[in-house]
């Protein structure tokens, strides 16, 4: 294995990524929209000391088929609910950039960083469908290139807003009567193609300074955004070799180090035959659920072996269980113990990924003001 | 004889909300006991205290741009706050019964997004979500948003109504029994209606992305006092957050709001009137008054007194002596010296004249005058006095209860819960345990029925 330590995250989507997963025994489908469901999943993830808990989101209802799992809770809400209940895992909600105001994204993720004591991340996504545009009363959708350019602008302005309060802006100076030092608050004055933001943020600088930015890589547009802005990239690919090539291109384009994780859709059972059976049954119930990335149907041991063999350039994986909680339970009890992952030092998500806490870009060096 | 023995009926029940003391000129930060206004531990402390005190809800205000004065960021009061909904979702997992009320602007947010966010909070909290709908609209705040800045002040309630209408359609788009989730039959969800809204501000089509939440709709609060604001509140809100805090003003306001509700086809009692009030407790009346005065002078430092006068005078008063008399010159009437806060007065020249007379009559300095005219400490006294006075207000229908605005973060509510709550309970005017699990049940406001559907396709 080329990397130390192997990074491991999970993406948790209600009953699992497969739209028919809610029908499996143990899924408790009536509870998918309750806190109890998410607390159970959060506790499992915490037990395995995983690096990331990603919560997907979109404004689509999704399927129009009454047999499919559909509807979803707001991802930031789920992450915020889990923040006081967990101590270790990074909480990474998806917040889309096409219809949500960048200013709101800035303060929501910064606040998650406060309530999780420095474990917040943000996964960037775009909304590509006319369905979502209609929901917001916008006419039509822009082409993906434009949406991702807007996403890049959003990351840029959000990062500026996270820096818009220097760390020591709150002075509480009784003698002068000043609560803040206004010289340490900064207008971000961003002017983009599709929006402008004046700043500063209403939220002071959060524990990590800059929460972890995660970008999915699934085409040239998202690859460019990941190269320019991501702390962590998630690569969607049909096989490991292609993913490793994409990781290479990504690093070259970025000209800097960044963590690259492979997306792996997983369904685990005690035997490989059983896993294949269950997956087959799910595909029968909904034949339209094509894999979006590498898929691993097997046992905890086969998945652990596959993860240990990831090609160079891939630092680990984000596992997307096709079904919950069964597969997650096996990840916790069987996969993680089989991998030798050293204990993580530090309590923030950036520390977990070996990233320093950056100073605000607006802070002048050496106190010259 | 206590009033309970004289009256055979149960007294009207008092409802209490707990306002988090953050960005506010009533929040004292100079006190050594004053803690962080952003750390989660502060929010958790106040919420747990409020829940220990069996209060209806925890309340967060909101402001979407840092306030400015003379073109510079206002630095004299607490500055900086976290995101309302994110804090409430985190508080949801460390509390069990407490309602979670968030102020969210209807101008700078999208209806579909708000509908989903509040439904999510309602689901994850098991029916404890409330939305305080505000409409503060100005180009100043709009500079932080791609949309909203264009909205004329006169149109803000037009937009708010439409935002609410669309949000309610989204909340109603899943019927009570749409989530079937039956693995045997294989039906996950059915009977989801499509929202199809065409209004003057926007056109929206789509399906709600969530099953109907435990409260159906989150509780709606409203804060806004213009005629438009009152009509809006009387039509949509379950509770009104108001500043009419004196007994007589409260009775007038409450009567007005109840009759507006009736004119809008509702029962007057379905609208809970909750003034925001400060309180100061002491072991003796004298000690409470003394303590109240100390707090006032902590709230209004010399620089704050000047800043306040500038908001009325509309001009730079940085050379003015706060310990001396009021400025001699008249206010400028067209001024934007203070941005991001509600205008102090409609007629500054008249206000200045009144204040000069007041100051002259009492021999007050500028700072003393500001302390006096900005004072909002309605309840000052021993715990027994405060309990009795609050009860009197509610029994006299000046309001249905209060949103308590403590002056200290995060421990400003501790003493109230410890000392006043038991006395309200003894009077029979306050619950001794939660009897329901949702905020609607705490407040005693009815469950909203499905809106009469327009012609809709169903999925
Ligand atoms: C008690 C009270 C609390 C308010 N709290 C907020 C707040 O937290 N955030 C905000 O933007 N506006 C707040 N407002 C302002 C109102 O939303 C509204 O914009 C303002 O009262 C002007 O509207 P009106 O002309 O209808 O009174 C508050 C108003 C009142 C009366």
């Amino acid at each position: 294995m080329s990397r130390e330590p192997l990074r491991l995250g999970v993406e948790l989507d209600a009953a699992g990524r497969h739209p028919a997963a809610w029908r499996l025994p143990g899924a408790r489908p009536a509870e998918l929209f309750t806190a109890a469901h998410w607390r159970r999943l959060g506790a499992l993830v915490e037990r395995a000391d995983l690096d990331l808990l990603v919560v997907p989101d979109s404004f689509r209802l999704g399927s129009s088929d009454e047999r499919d799992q559909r509807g979803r809770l707001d991802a930031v809400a789920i992450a915020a609910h889990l923040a006081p209940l967990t101590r270790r895992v990074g909480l990474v909600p998806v917040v889309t950039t096409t219809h949500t105001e960048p200013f709101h994204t800035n303060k929501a993720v910064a606040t998650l960083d406060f309530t999780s004591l420095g474990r917040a991340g943000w996964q960037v996504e775009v909304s590509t469908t006319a369905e979502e545009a209609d929901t917001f009363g916008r006419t039509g959708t822009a082409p993906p290139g434009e949406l991702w350019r807007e996403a890049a602008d959003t990351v840029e302005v959000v990062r500026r807003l996270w820096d818009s309060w220097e760390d020591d802006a709150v002075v509480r100076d009784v003698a002068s009567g000043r609560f803040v030092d206004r010289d340490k608050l900064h207008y971000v004055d961003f002017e983009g193609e599709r929006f402008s933001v004046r700043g500063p943020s209403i939220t002071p600088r959060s524990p990590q300074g800059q929460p972890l930015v995660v970008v999915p890589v699934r085409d040239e547009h998202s690859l460019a955004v990941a190269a320019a802005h991501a702390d962590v990239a998630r690569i969607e690919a049909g096989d490991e070799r292609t993913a490793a090539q994409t990781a290479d291109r990504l690093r070259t384009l970025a000209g800097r180090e960044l963590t690259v994780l492979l997306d792996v859709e997983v369904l685990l059972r005690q035997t490989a035959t059983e896993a294949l059976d269950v997956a087959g049954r799910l595909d029968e119930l909904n034949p339209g659920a094509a894999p979006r990335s590498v898929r691993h149907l097997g046992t905890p041991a086969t998945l652990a072996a596959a993860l240990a063999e990831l090609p160079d350039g891939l630092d680990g994986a984000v596992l997307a269980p096709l079904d919950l909680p069964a597969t997650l339970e096996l990840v916790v009890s069987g996969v993680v113990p089989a991998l030798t992952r050293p204990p993580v030092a530090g309590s923030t998500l950036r520390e977990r990924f070996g990233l320093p806490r950056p100073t605000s870009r607006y802070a002048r060096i050496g106190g010259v003001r | 004889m206590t009033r309970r023995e004289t009256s055979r009926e149960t007294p009207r029940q008092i409802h209490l909300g707990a306002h988090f003391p953050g960005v506010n000129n009533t929040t004292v930060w100079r006190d050594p006991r004053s803690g962080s206004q952003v750390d989660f531990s502060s929010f958790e402390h106040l919420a747990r205290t409020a829940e220990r005190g069996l209060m209806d809800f925890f309340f967060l205000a909101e402001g979407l741009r840092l306030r400015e004065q003379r073109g510079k960021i206002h630095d004299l009061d607490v500055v900086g706050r976290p995101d309302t909904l994110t804090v409430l979702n985190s508080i949801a997992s460390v509390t069990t019964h407490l309602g979670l009320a968030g102020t969210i602007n209807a101008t700078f947010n999208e209806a579909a997004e708000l509908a989903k966010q509040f439904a999510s909070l309602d689901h994850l909290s098991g029916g404890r979500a409330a939305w305080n709908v505000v409409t503060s609209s100005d180009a100043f705040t709009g500079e932080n948003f791609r949309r909203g800045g264009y909205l004329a002040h006169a149109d803000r309630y037009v937009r708010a109504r439409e935002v609410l209408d669309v949000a309610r359609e989204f909340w109603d788009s899943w019927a009570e029994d749409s989530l079937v989730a039956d693995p045997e039959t294989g039906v996950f969800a059915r009977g989801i209606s499509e929202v199809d809204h065409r209004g003057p501000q926007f056109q929206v089509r789509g399906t709600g992305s969530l099953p109907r939440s435990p409260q159906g709709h989150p509780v709606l609060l409203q804060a806004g006092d213009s005629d438009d604001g009152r009509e809006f509140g009387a039509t949509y809100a379950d509770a009104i957050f108001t500043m009419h805090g004196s007994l007589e003003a409260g009775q007038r306001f409450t009567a007005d709001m109840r009759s507006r509700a009736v004119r809008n086809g509702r029962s007057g009692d379905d609208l809970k009137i909750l003034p925001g009030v400060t309180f100061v407790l002491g072991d003796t009346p004298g000690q409470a008054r003394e303590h109240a005065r100390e707090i006032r002078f902590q709230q209004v430092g010399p620089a704050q007194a000047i800043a306040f006068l500038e908001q009325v005078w509309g001009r730079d008063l940085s050379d003015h002596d706060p310990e001396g008399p009021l400025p001699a010159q008249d206010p400028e009437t067209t001024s934007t010296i203070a941005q991001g806060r509600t205008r102090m007065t409609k007629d500054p020249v008249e206000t200045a004249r009144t204040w000069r007379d007041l100051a002259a009559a009492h021999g007050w300095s500028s700072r003393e005058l500001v302390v006096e005219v900005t004072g909002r400490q309605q309840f000052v006294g021993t715990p027994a006095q405060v309990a009795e006075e609050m009860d009197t207000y509610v029994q006299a229908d000046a309001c249905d209860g209060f949103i308590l605005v403590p002056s200290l973060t995060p421990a400003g509510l501790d003493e109230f819960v410890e000392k006043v709550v038991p006395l309200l309970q003894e009077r029979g005017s306050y619950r001794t345990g939660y009897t329901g699990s949702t905020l609607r049940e705490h407040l005693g406001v009815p469950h909203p029925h499905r809106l009469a559907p327009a012609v809709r396709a169903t999925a």
Side-chain angles (χ1 to χ4, degrees):
Chain A
M1 200 174 67
S2 54
R3 296 145 315 273
E4 273 304 318
L6 183 81
R7 308 288 180 187
L8 211 52
V10 285
E11 177 178 300
L12 301 182
D13 193 354
R17 190 179 268 194
H18 201 292
W22 67 272
R23 294 181 70 172
L24 294 179
R28 306 203 224 190
E31 292 178 29
L32 294 178
F33 299 95
T34 66
H37 172 74
W38 290 99
R39 285 170 176 240
R40 274 195 295 271
L41 297 183
L44 274 171
V45 169
E46 192 74 349
R47 242 173 59 208
D49 199 17
L50 295 174
D51 298 314
L52 302 174
L53 192 170
V54 181
V55 188
D57 208 349
S58 86
F59 289 103
R60 283 194 311 273
L61 176 62
S63 168
S64 59
D65 190 327
E66 66 178 30
R67 291 168 304 177
D68 291 345
Q69 169 180 306
R70 44 188 178 158
R72 61 170 83 244
L73 293 164
D74 179 73
V76 176
I78 292 170
H81 190 87
L82 292 179
L85 304 173
T86 51
R87 288 282 169 270
R88 308 275 302 153
V89 71
L91 297 168
V92 186
V94 164
V95 184
T96 56
T97 59
T98 311
H99 302 296
T100 298
E101 293 280 358
F103 196 83
H104 291 321
T105 306
N106 134 67
K107 66 187 172 43
V109 178
T111 301
L112 181 62
D113 208 35
F114 276 105
T115 73
S116 66
L117 307 178
R119 293 179 291 122
W122 165 33
Q123 181 172 320
V124 182
E125 282 283 1
V126 297
S127 306
T128 55
T129 66
E131 182 189 338
E132 287 151 296
D134 282 348
T135 300
F136 285 83
R138 289 172 103 178
T139 41
T141 53
E146 206 174 304
L147 294 178
W148 278 104
R149 270 208 312 284
E150 186 182 31
D153 278 359
T154 304
V155 181
E156 169 67 21
V157 77
V158 167
R159 283 196 182 275
R160 284 195 208 176
L161 287 164
W162 286 341
D163 279 347
S164 68
W165 289 60
E166 293 182 38
D167 285 322
D168 48 1
V170 174
V171 291
R172 292 177 180 253
D173 183 23
V174 175
S176 67
R178 291 172 317 141
F179 182 80
V180 287
D181 178 351
R182 56 164 74 117
D183 292 337
K184 294 183 175 177
L185 302 180
H186 303 274
Y187 297 101
V188 304
D189 282 328
F190 182 86
E191 298 273 348
E193 225 179 302
R194 292 162 70 108
F195 59 80
S196 60
V197 176
R198 177 94 166 106
S201 180
I202 59 164
T203 307
R205 202 146 188 268
S206 74
Q208 295 184 100
Q210 291 277 326
L212 197 80
V213 175
V214 179
V215 178
V217 175
R218 62 175 74 98
D219 57 17
E220 291 305 309
H221 310 297
S222 50
L223 185 132
V225 176
H229 295 285
D231 295 309
V232 171
R234 287 177 61 178
I235 296 197
E236 292 180 10
D239 60 77
E240 283 90 344
R241 224 170 37 85
T242 315
Q245 285 162 0
T246 306
D248 249 15
R249 285 210 300 125
L250 178 60
R251 287 202 172 87
T252 308
L253 191 60
R256 65 192 168 96
E257 243 331 294
L258 77 166
T259 301
V260 182
L261 306 177
L262 173 67
D263 266 24
V264 185
E265 297 185 347
V266 292
L267 192 150
L268 302 181
R269 287 297 183 270
Q270 295 297 0
T271 68
T273 324
E274 201 188 334
L276 286 168
D277 273 358
V278 175
R281 209 176 329 140
L282 290 178
D283 285 339
E284 255 167 53
L285 291 170
N286 184 323
R292 285 171 18 204
S293 192
V294 179
R295 204 173 248 199
H296 189 98
L297 313 173
T299 68
T302 60
L303 178 61
L307 290 172
E309 305 273 282
L310 282 178
D312 277 353
L314 300 177
D315 302 303
V318 175
L319 308 176
L322 290 177
D323 69 314
L324 289 167
T327 289
L328 183 61
E329 280 163 2
L330 289 173
V331 167
V332 172
S333 63
V335 180
V336 175
L339 302 164
T340 42
R341 292 181 2 114
V344 177
S347 63
T348 73
L349 184 53
R350 292 187 75 86
E351 284 169 341
R352 185 177 265 273
F353 276 81
L355 295 168
R357 185 181 189 281
T359 22
S360 158
R361 74 192 64 191
Y362 300 104
R364 318 231 175 113
I365 293 147
V368 190
R369 179 161 281 124
Chain B
M1 221 191 313
T2 72
R3 49 185 300 134
R4 221 156 14 126
E5 285 159 337
T6 57
S7 156
R8 309 211 37 209
E9 284 166 48
T10 326
R12 287 164 53 85
Q13 294 296 294
I14 298 176
H15 296 280
L16 292 178
H19 191 296
F20 183 84
V23 177
N24 209 313
N25 56 11
T26 54
T27 304
V28 167
W29 58 263
R30 288 173 170 80
D31 191 302
R33 292 167 303 167
S34 156
S36 167
Q37 88 284 15
V38 282
D39 287 349
F40 183 63
S41 57
S42 291
F43 294 93
E44 186 174 2
H45 180 100
L46 191 90
R48 285 186 189 276
T49 307
E51 189 160 78
R52 199 167 61 243
L54 305 172
M55 295 189 185
D56 293 46
F57 59 91
F58 169 89
F59 182 90
L60 290 176
E62 186 198 52
L64 294 172
R65 183 156 172 194
L66 301 185
R67 301 180 305 182
E68 289 185 2
Q69 189 141 346
R70 280 187 239 139
K72 291 192 176 143
I73 287 164
H74 180 71
D75 56 0
L76 304 173
D77 298 322
V78 172
V79 179
R81 61 175 108 219
D83 177 62
T84 299
L85 282 159
T86 308
V87 170
L88 294 181
N89 276 300
S90 290
I91 292 291
S93 61
V94 295
T95 51
T96 56
H97 286 74
L98 189 66
L100 304 163
T103 303
I104 298 283
N105 199 297
T107 305
F108 305 108
N109 287 278
E110 301 293 335
E113 191 167 21
L114 289 179
K116 176 173 171 180
Q117 287 170 330
F118 275 104
S120 295
L121 178 64
D122 207 40
H123 276 293
L124 289 170
S125 66
R128 299 188 277 139
W131 173 12
N132 177 36
V133 187
V134 296
T135 58
S136 321
S137 143
D138 49 35
F140 175 74
T141 306
E143 282 179 3
N144 283 333
F145 298 94
R146 50 182 131 186
R147 277 171 282 179
Y150 58 79
L151 192 73
H153 188 71
D155 287 339
R156 69 204 201 287
Y157 282 109
V158 177
R159 178 174 163 106
R161 279 174 184 270
E162 243 187 288
V163 167
L164 258 288
D165 287 341
V166 174
R168 298 204 302 187
E169 284 196 60
F170 275 110
W171 291 326
D172 285 344
S173 67
W174 289 54
E176 202 81 64
D177 55 0
S178 279
L179 180 65
V180 180
D182 181 352
E184 295 306 310
T185 60
V187 177
F188 184 76
R190 64 157 54 124
I192 304 167
S193 345
E194 179 156 296
V195 172
D196 189 357
H197 171 92
R198 281 147 216 279
Q201 302 268 338
F202 36 75
Q203 268 126 54
V204 170
R205 275 164 58 89
T207 30
S209 53
L210 277 169
R212 197 165 171 82
S213 70
Q215 295 188 107
H217 298 184
V219 167
L220 292 175
L221 273 72
Q222 188 262 349
D225 200 30
S226 59
D227 190 55
D228 278 354
R230 289 187 187 200
E231 269 311 291
F232 174 71
T235 318
Y236 290 87
D238 299 298
I240 307 290
F241 179 22
T242 165
M243 280 302 165
H244 296 281
S246 78
L247 187 71
E248 300 74 26
Q251 282 174 324
R252 271 197 308 277
F253 178 75
T254 300
D256 178 49
M257 289 309 292
R258 297 215 201 284
S259 70
R260 283 177 195 257
V262 169
R263 277 207 302 281
N264 282 292
R266 309 171 59 191
S267 151
D269 282 338
D270 287 354
L271 197 56
K272 302 298 168 193
I273 309 296
L274 304 172
V277 297
T278 59
F279 56 91
V280 181
L281 302 172
D283 291 338
T284 63
Q287 205 186 65
R289 277 197 303 274
E290 175 72 13
H291 187 191
R293 196 173 155 76
E294 269 167 38
I295 291 174
R296 290 297 298 134
F297 279 89
Q298 281 185 315
Q299 287 165 336
V300 185
Q304 272 142 325
I306 296 296
F308 180 80
L309 292 182
E310 283 182 344
Q311 289 169 41
V312 174
W313 261 260
R315 52 170 98 221
D316 186 337
L317 295 174
S318 41
D319 292 335
H320 186 74
D321 175 12
E323 311 299 345
L326 287 169
Q329 69 281 50
D330 272 342
E332 278 180 34
T333 43
T334 53
S335 164
T336 53
I337 195 160
Q339 299 261 41
R341 63 170 91 217
T342 315
R343 264 231 338 263
M344 244 34 252
T345 166
K346 296 219 159 61
D347 185 351
V349 177
E350 182 53 35
T351 303
R353 206 167 291 142
T354 317
W355 286 359
R356 282 204 201 95
D357 293 348
L358 257 176
H362 293 88
W364 288 334
S365 68
S366 294
R367 185 176 170 202
E368 281 169 320
L369 175 108
V370 174
V371 163
E372 294 297 334
V373 299
T374 60
R376 278 204 265 117
Q377 279 162 357
Q378 288 93 334
F379 298 106
V380 178
T382 64
Q385 285 176 316
V386 169
E388 173 167 8
E389 211 180 335
M390 286 188 160
D391 196 15
T392 304
Y393 272 56
V394 172
Q395 304 314 324
D397 205 22
C399 56
D400 293 286
F402 305 92
I403 294 181
L404 301 172
V405 185
S407 60
L408 264 187
T409 311
L413 205 59
D414 296 13
E415 198 185 1
F416 188 95
V417 167
E418 206 180 295
K419 296 179 176 163
V420 182
V421 164
L423 298 176
L424 295 174
Q425 289 169 327
E426 271 176 37
R427 303 178 76 87
S429 314
Y430 193 69
R431 64 172 66 92
T432 51
Y434 286 110
T435 49
S437 61
T438 70
L439 177 54
R440 280 192 187 280
E441 288 167 327
H442 303 338
L443 284 171
V445 292
H447 191 280
H449 301 289
R450 265 177 87 76
L451 293 178
V455 180
R456 289 171 179 156
T458 56

